[in-house]
Structure formats: C-alpha cells, structure tokens
C-alpha cells in the first residue's frame, strides 16, 4: 500500500491510500480524486511531508494562496502550534467516516450514476450506495437534483470489506 500526501488547488492537504503509484496516476487521470474538504478535483501529489513527525517543533510548511496580498514570493501561512495535530486528527476522522460509510453502503462500482438515478426516481430500493462516477456524471446527477458526495476512497480500504 502506498500512502501519498495530496493537496488540492486551494492548498488543503490530505492523505491518499493507493495500491501503487500507477493506481494513483490512473485515479487522478480519470478524475476520481477529490479534496475531502472542498471537493475540488484538482488534486496533486505533494512531496513527502513530515506528516508523521508530529512531535517536531516546526509545523509542516504548506502553501496557501493569498489573493488579498499579492507578492512575488509565496507567503508562508502562520499556523497555531496545534494545527498539525488537528489536521492529523481530522484526517483520522475522515478515514473513519469513510470506513463507516463503506460498511453501510452497497458498492455498485461503475454503475453508480445509473443506480443513484434509479433510486432517486423510485425504480430501485432506497439504500445507501457507493461507486464511481465521472465528473460529467456527477454534474448530471447534481443537475437532476440528486445529492451525491464525492470522497477519495482509497482502494486499500475497499478490499477487506468485500
Ligand atoms: Zn480542498
């Protein structure tokens, strides 16, 4: 299993679990990755950060856009001393939430958009489902008023539950 540090275009950093580097590339190319905090699909791989080194005095450096104060150099955000720990805690909660979600939903795989639509229109039994949708499919569902939540569910979490 490969744990990668990822970040979205607005600078949220989070962790992604993948079977391999190819798995990451493939999910990224198919637009399956999105930020758990803002849903942005513009996710990129960050250099390995000292994420596990939480006892270190210095918070992990992170870039953040500062549109109000343009400057030639990227400004380093000022983080409260507890920030890295909070981020780790949040990440843990996200992973736990994903686990709970996966234990309570039916995996419909690539048929996600079809199933979500059938449930919405009363053609299939009302239930929690999870699966994969392309960005286009997700947009179409949203247009039809069908609520879906995009989560970067790591492949590593999927297998043991099946
Ligand atoms: Zn984000």
């Amino acid at each position: 299993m490969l744990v990668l540090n990822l970040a979205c275009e607005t600078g949220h950093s989070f962790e992604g679990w993948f079977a391999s580097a190819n798995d990451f590339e493939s999910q990224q190319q198919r637009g399956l990755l999105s930020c758990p905090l803002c849903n942005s699909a513009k996710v990129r791989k960050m250099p390995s950060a000292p994420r596990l080194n939480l006892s270190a005095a210095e918070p992990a450096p992170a870039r953040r856009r500062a549109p109000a104060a343009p400057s030639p150099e990227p400004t380093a955000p000022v983080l409260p001393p507890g920030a890295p720990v909070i981020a780790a805690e949040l990440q843990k909660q996200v992973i736990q939430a994903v686990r709970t979600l996966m234990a309570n939903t039916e995996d419909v795989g690539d048929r996600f958009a079809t199933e979500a639509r059938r449930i919405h229109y009363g053609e299939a039994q009302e239930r929690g489902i999870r699966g994969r949708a392309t960005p286009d499919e997700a947009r179409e569902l949203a247009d039809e008023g069908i609520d879906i939540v995009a989560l970067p569910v790591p492949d590593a979490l999927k297998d043991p539950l099946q």
Side-chain angles (χ1 to χ4, degrees):
M1 191 181 71
L2 181 67
V3 180
L4 295 176
N5 292 300
L6 307 175
C8 77
E9 57 184 338
T10 56
H12 299 132
S13 61
F14 54 99
E15 180 181 278
W17 298 3
F18 301 92
S20 65
N22 283 343
D23 187 35
F24 164 75
E25 306 275 2
S26 145
Q27 290 198 39
Q28 188 187 38
Q29 274 163 21
R30 286 181 292 160
L32 297 175
L33 299 175
S34 63
C35 172
L37 297 175
C38 70
N39 270 349
S40 166
K42 297 209 171 89
V43 170
R44 65 191 191 285
K45 188 162 67 175
M46 303 296 284
S48 279
R51 180 179 64 77
L52 297 174
N53 194 13
L54 292 175
S55 59
E58 288 178 357
R63 287 186 176 192
R64 189 169 296 171
R65 287 185 187 170
S71 94
E73 297 293 320
T75 51
V78 179
L79 294 174
V85 177
I86 291 168
E89 185 57 35
L90 185 68
Q91 207 158 67
K92 209 162 73 185
Q93 287 174 8
V94 168
I95 288 172
Q96 277 169 359
V98 169
R99 279 186 197 277
T100 305
L101 185 86
M102 293 183 48
N104 291 290
T105 52
E106 180 188 329
D107 187 2
V108 295
D110 293 334
R111 293 187 297 112
F112 179 80
T114 308
E115 276 308 300
R117 209 168 261 128
R118 290 182 65 215
I119 291 169
H120 183 75
Y121 293 112
E123 293 162 17
Q125 195 196 342
E126 179 88 41
R127 66 203 195 279
I129 58 169
R130 67 179 192 277
R132 296 170 185 275
T134 65
D136 280 349
E137 286 173 338
R139 255 194 305 276
E140 285 165 18
L141 289 172
D143 286 348
E144 292 175 47
I146 302 171
D147 289 333
I148 63 168
V149 177
L151 279 179
V153 178
D155 277 347
L157 277 177
K158 284 177 188 164
D159 297 337
L161 292 165
Q162 282 173 356

